[in-house]
Amino acid sequence: MRTVSAGVLSDPAYLVPEAPAAEEGIGWLRSAVSRFSNGDVHARRRAVVEGLIAGVDPDPLRAPYAGHPVGRLALAMGVTADVVQDVRAVAAAYQTGDAAADGAVERLVAVFGGAHDERTAARIQVLVQACDATAALVELARAGRHDPPVAATRRVGPDGETVLVPLDAHPFGAGPRACPGRAHALALVEGALA
């Protein structure tokens, strides 16, 4: 896979690989979130995510806590921290769509009210996308390192080629897909290190 500059993160000609439609499990989640969609669908779903994140005050996340950061974020989102195991299982399959996470997705859907809709998908997405990246950010901070928690992302160019985009200079992304939860992630790091 060819590596390109981070400038493509702001180039509308470079799209994310989309997920095919599905009715349940990890396939449904991938097909219902902004992460794997483009254009107007992405904009609509992104607005839902931004609204959810805006409803979570990052300040309390700075208080000292133990355990996985996604458990702390789950509490701030109004659910119990015992979702961590399922969120981690989904995060492990998020990019690939591995059906082994189907049960975990369905349990998370139930935790968030049981509806297979875009709002439920967005709530799960916030936790899943925060899971590994925020945990990695905490570990990097503990080690005194400033590497991006996610080293690279993929885009599909106008010619249909999938390219790799390093995130060295943009650890929270850039352009219309920049992480909307940057303040929350940094607050969770502060809380973990406190």
Side-chain angles (χ1 to χ4, degrees):
M1 187 178 310
R2 186 168 60 95
T3 300
V4 298
S5 78
V8 305
L9 295 173
S10 296
D11 186 338
Y14 283 81
L15 305 174
V16 298
E18 292 193 6
E23 297 295 318
E24 60 186 24
I26 191 73
W28 164 77
L29 180 65
R30 286 168 46 84
S31 71
V33 296
S34 61
R35 170 65 182 87
F36 300 105
S37 58
N38 292 293
D40 292 341
V41 173
H42 170 260
R44 182 185 73 239
R45 292 173 176 173
R46 166 92 180 193
V48 174
V49 169
E50 289 173 347
L52 290 170
I53 290 172
V56 177
D57 182 359
D59 287 336
L61 301 177
R62 291 184 176 87
Y65 68 92
H68 198 286
V70 84
R72 177 64 166 224
L73 182 58
L75 289 170
M77 291 175 64
V79 296
T80 63
D82 60 0
V83 298
V84 171
Q85 183 176 347
D86 283 335
V87 171
R88 291 179 82 178
V90 174
Y94 197 49
Q95 293 295 330
T96 61
D98 185 346
D102 286 348
V105 169
E106 293 307 314
R107 287 188 294 275
L108 291 169
V109 168
V111 163
F112 284 115
H116 285 81
D117 58 18
E118 287 185 353
R119 182 164 173 80
T120 300
R123 293 176 85 186
I124 297 169
Q125 174 186 359
V126 167
L127 292 175
V128 169
Q129 289 187 208
C131 184
D132 293 344
T134 308
L137 197 58
V138 168
E139 291 310 310
L140 288 165
R142 282 190 176 129
R145 295 175 46 197
H146 301 285
D147 310 27
V150 177
T153 188
R154 294 176 297 144
R155 293 291 185 270
V156 178
D159 60 358
E161 178 189 13
T162 300
V163 295
L164 195 64
V165 185
L167 296 175
D168 301 0
H170 303 282
F172 289 91
R177 292 178 179 275
C179 175
R182 180 183 183 135
H184 298 77
L186 294 175
L188 286 165
V189 171
E190 285 183 46
L193 299 180

